[in-house]
Amino acid sequence: MDPRISLAPHMWDGQHELRWSIERIADEALDRAGVELDPRGYLIGIPDGDDALPVLVEPQRDAFDVTRLENLHPHFTSLFEERRARMCPSRTDDESTATWHPDHYLAALREGCRRDVMREALTRAATFDDRVVHVGISIVVGDYRVFPVLAVLRDPASEVPRLRTTFADGLGVPGNFPEAVIDDVLRAASHELDRVHPGSLIGLDAGAVLRSAADTFINGCASRAGQKFPHGLRDACDAVSAQTYEGRASLGSVVLAPQGHPDVACEVTFEHDVPVGVPRSFRKALEMTGPGFELLCDGRTVYGIGRMLEGYAPATEEVFEIKVVGNGAWELWHADTPFLRVDNGEPSLPRDVIDVETFAHAVNRVFPDALSEHVDALWGMTQACVRQQHGTMLVVHPDARREGERLLPQAYTIEPTHLGAHAFDALTKIDGAVLVSPDGKCHAVGVILDGAATGTGDISRGARYNSAIRYLAGRGKGSMVIIVSEDGRVDILPHVARRVRRASVERAVAQLVRAADGTTDYEKFSRLDSRAAALEFYFDAEQCEAVNEARESVEQQRWAEERVRMQVVPIAPHPAMDDSYFISPGAEGPPAPPN
């Protein structure tokens, strides 16, 4: 039988596999992008030509009130006619003034109207209120027009900075990188739906999705900056950030703006523009930049050197900045907000640089007797490290003087003192860590840390990070290590557990228990179980017992139905857990003590 022929309650054979694969690839890609949106995938089938057929939703979980999705075709048509009248003036008898719109333009306009109507209808029909719906391009499959849909959590999505401009040069553009990822997954789903025999996205690589989404997002920013049909800018940035110049790593900034923009001062104009697609030429031009002296680029070529003026109005969203921050690493900024970071070709959301409040609480957790002025001193040293063009490491030890003597001769011990900015810059030019006491006084520089391998390191991290892991597992117990990478990222060891809201923990447990009550939807239970597993540290005895019973109940049911089950390992309250790990309602609290 032709799999495109619809047989209720199916639109076609294999629709479950496609829906599941959409959700899987979206979850993996968004996770690698650095945001947890818990995407839910759906396929919405609207009868195409036969109004007697029902509206179908895959999966059938009562996520939407299907009665609110009926009779949408008139709404599709009316919105299309309204937009065509506004955006595409009618033909006139005078051929010289007639405006012609090719069929593909009108088809794209019509499809945009369908998606907008469907998104509004799904929002009204949703039985949930904690998610935002994204709708992909619809494709006719058999008797149905099928829309691929992803619904993501509203709160974490709203926390990601977003550009307000959603159209550039007449085309829709994503507001941030996660939206670009979602759009690319839905685009891949629509492409699969358009096959003669729709399959699944199981072979789609999350890394390819991320790179394509990065292209989509940065090209959208170039369009906002005035470039027509931009392309290749992400590849150019990857190449120039990886290119050395006479052995020196790439460091510098590029202002993305059209020539002649009133908020950009061009102090040097190239008579022959430098194409960004030629890495060697682009890298050589980047070497001429410095503080307040940046390359000026229109998205395809570098046309001069200058700077963005302080009077720029961020609301216009017309000027962006690309910061090359190290070997293979660059970031896309607008105003004072980073929107995208790429490390060795892997795009993601920029990691938040640790703020002073979080830093202060981390110090106070490890060193309860530290005074506010001591925290300020340590914070000042950390910021000085971030401003440098090379990485370094601060070791805060409760008995720094004795520890410095122990580490001789693999350290330069000095008289305990608070280092000034110039002295600190000079003393951190050499290899090794800076050893300080909790009051911020420096006791040694050029410190080579000792420690035995414990099997707890991270092969994906560098020598500084792993040497800190070994040191803390040995003679460095009770101390704190602040690792500053060349790109300005800050890691604090030992890891400080984040604080959470008590209501979030209670909700996760309650949802899992409800899902276990007579469930046959093992996919839904598995998703809720994964969320609960991430919060196990915060469970009290009663919650641990409830989760254990829910997991055992589901596995017993699975065994009765399928003669297969997963092994359940009972959980118990963590001995280090106390109420300090919870955020008070309405308050943002510090991280909890280290595990």
Side-chain angles (χ1 to χ4, degrees):
M1 178 182 291
D2 186 348
R4 295 178 73 97
I5 297 177
S6 306
L7 293 175
H10 299 293
M11 293 171 276
W12 79 95
D13 292 340
Q15 64 187 42
H16 170 75
E17 286 76 13
L18 177 57
R19 195 280 311 168
W20 175 83
S21 65
I22 293 172
E23 189 172 293
R24 182 201 63 83
I25 192 65
D27 188 45
E28 183 180 352
L30 288 169
D31 184 61
R32 287 174 58 174
V35 59
E36 297 182 6
L37 299 182
D38 187 27
R40 304 283 177 83
Y42 302 94
L43 294 171
I44 311 297
I46 304 296
D48 190 66
D50 186 355
D51 294 336
L53 291 174
V55 174
L56 297 182
V57 177
E58 166 65 39
Q60 300 177 21
R61 292 185 186 149
D62 298 325
F64 301 97
D65 178 2
V66 294
T67 61
R68 289 177 171 245
L69 303 179
E70 296 173 347
N71 301 317
L72 292 182
H73 285 288
H75 299 283
F76 296 158
T77 302
S78 62
L79 182 60
F80 170 69
E81 295 298 338
E82 175 191 333
R83 289 184 177 177
R84 182 171 66 171
R86 186 175 70 253
M87 302 172 65
C88 311
S90 302
R91 290 181 53 184
T92 65
D93 294 332
D94 184 357
E95 294 291 336
S96 64
T97 61
T99 302
W100 298 96
H101 298 282
D103 291 342
H104 68 267
Y105 178 87
L106 294 177
L109 181 62
R110 185 184 296 274
E111 180 58 28
C113 294
R114 291 194 194 104
R115 294 170 68 185
D116 288 345
V117 169
M118 177 56 69
R119 182 170 53 252
E120 293 178 4
L122 288 173
T123 300
R124 293 192 302 267
T127 58
F128 49 79
D129 59 4
D130 60 341
R131 292 179 176 273
V132 179
V133 173
H134 296 262
V135 179
I137 297 172
S138 66
I139 301 293
V140 175
V141 181
D143 298 326
Y144 283 87
R145 178 170 292 278
V146 183
F147 293 81
V149 173
L150 281 169
V152 298
L153 291 174
R154 183 186 307 275
D155 288 346
S158 65
E159 293 173 359
V160 180
R162 188 177 187 277
L163 297 169
R164 294 184 298 176
T165 308
T166 56
F167 283 89
D169 197 26
L171 301 174
V173 289
N176 55 31
F177 182 52
E179 285 187 12
V181 172
I182 293 169
D183 289 347
D184 264 69
V185 172
L186 292 174
R187 189 177 300 115
S190 298
H191 179 76
E192 188 62 37
L193 283 168
D194 204 28
R195 295 180 183 273
V196 174
H197 304 292
S200 74
L201 304 183
I202 196 66
L204 185 61
D205 176 58
V209 171
L210 290 174
R211 290 186 290 274
S212 176
D215 277 329
T216 300
F217 181 62
I218 195 170
N219 288 341
C221 293
S223 293
R224 292 179 177 93
Q227 181 59 252
K228 301 288 185 180
F229 308 110
H231 66 276
L233 185 55
R234 195 264 306 173
D235 284 338
C237 292
D238 283 348
V240 76
S241 65
Q243 185 89 35
T244 60
Y245 182 78
E246 296 186 354
R248 292 191 293 273
S250 293
L251 292 170
S253 299
V254 181
V255 173
L256 182 61
Q259 294 191 46
H261 194 283
D263 292 323
V264 175
C266 184
E267 301 182 23
V268 176
T269 302
F270 296 148
E271 290 188 348
H272 303 283
D273 294 347
V274 179
V276 297
V278 182
R280 286 183 176 273
S281 299
F282 192 7
R283 174 66 183 87
K284 191 172 184 178
L286 186 67
E287 191 68 15
M288 293 185 283
T289 65
F293 204 57
E294 303 168 295
L295 290 185
L296 305 180
C297 174
D298 61 10
R300 290 189 181 175
T301 63
V302 175
Y303 58 84
I305 306 178
R307 57 190 171 84
M308 183 168 56
L309 300 177
E310 294 183 358
Y312 169 66
T316 63
E317 296 181 350
E318 295 175 346
V319 180
F320 298 82
E321 187 176 14
I322 298 169
K323 297 183 180 182
V324 181
V325 295
N327 276 335
W330 58 274
E331 296 178 345
L332 176 67
W333 289 61
H334 177 255
D336 296 324
T337 304
F339 280 85
L340 176 68
R341 180 183 175 90
V342 179
D343 285 288
N344 297 312
E346 179 81 0
S348 66
L349 288 174
R351 267 182 53 185
D352 291 335
V353 176
I354 190 170
D355 60 86
V356 61
E357 186 174 338
T358 301
F359 179 86
H361 284 293
V363 173
N364 287 327
R365 296 288 184 179
V366 181
F367 306 108
D369 297 330
L371 303 177
S372 60
E373 54 265 31
H374 300 159
V375 175
D376 292 342
L378 293 174
W379 174 250
M381 298 174 77
T382 302
Q383 290 300 100
C385 293
V386 171
R387 289 191 294 268
Q388 294 176 340
Q389 293 187 354
H390 58 83
T392 190
M393 188 160 53
L394 298 178
V395 177
V396 187
H397 197 283
D399 193 354
R401 185 175 186 83
R402 183 174 298 179
E403 182 67 0
E405 294 173 351
R406 186 186 71 81
L407 290 171
L408 285 173
Q410 55 195 45
Y412 294 100
T413 56
I414 64 175
E415 288 291 330
T417 183
H418 289 101
L419 296 177
H422 294 297
F424 186 82
D425 289 343
L427 294 178
T428 55
K429 289 180 179 179
I430 62 174
D431 292 336
V434 177
L435 181 63
V436 300
S437 53
D439 61 2
K441 289 184 178 180
C442 181
H443 289 254
V445 297
V447 179
I448 306 300
L449 302 179
D450 58 5
T454 62
T456 58
D458 186 346
I459 194 173
S460 67
R461 300 300 302 270
R464 290 190 188 94
Y465 186 90
N466 284 287
S467 65
I469 291 285
R470 292 192 296 271
Y471 176 71
L472 290 172
R475 300 292 293 273
K477 281 186 177 179
S479 59
M480 183 172 74
V481 182
I482 304 164
I483 306 159
V484 181
S485 303
E486 291 183 3
D487 57 17
R489 292 187 176 186
V490 179
D491 288 289
I492 296 180
L493 296 176
H495 288 297
V496 178
R498 64 189 180 94
R499 297 184 71 189
V500 300
R501 298 189 183 280
R502 189 189 300 271
S504 299
V505 176
E506 294 172 346
R507 182 166 55 250
V509 173
Q511 289 176 339
L512 187 70
V513 171
R514 284 198 300 270
D517 186 14
T519 185
T520 56
D521 191 344
Y522 298 116
E523 181 183 340
K524 178 181 179 181
F525 182 83
S526 176
R527 182 166 50 239
L528 293 172
D529 191 35
S530 297
R531 187 184 303 176
L535 297 171
E536 285 180 358
F537 178 81
Y538 308 94
F539 292 169
D540 58 24
E542 183 178 349
Q543 290 168 333
C544 287
E545 182 179 357
V547 169
N548 289 335
E549 291 178 355
R551 290 171 175 170
E552 184 61 30
S553 171
V554 168
E555 295 310 322
Q556 287 179 0
Q557 181 174 336
R558 197 198 307 266
W559 175 258
E561 295 176 356
E562 304 175 3
R563 308 310 291 175
V564 65
R565 61 166 289 157
M566 303 290 289
Q567 181 64 39
V568 176
V569 178
I571 61 174
H574 197 287
M577 174 59 194
D578 58 42
D579 284 349
S580 66
Y581 282 83
F582 290 126
I583 300 174
S584 300
E588 294 295 335
N595 297 335

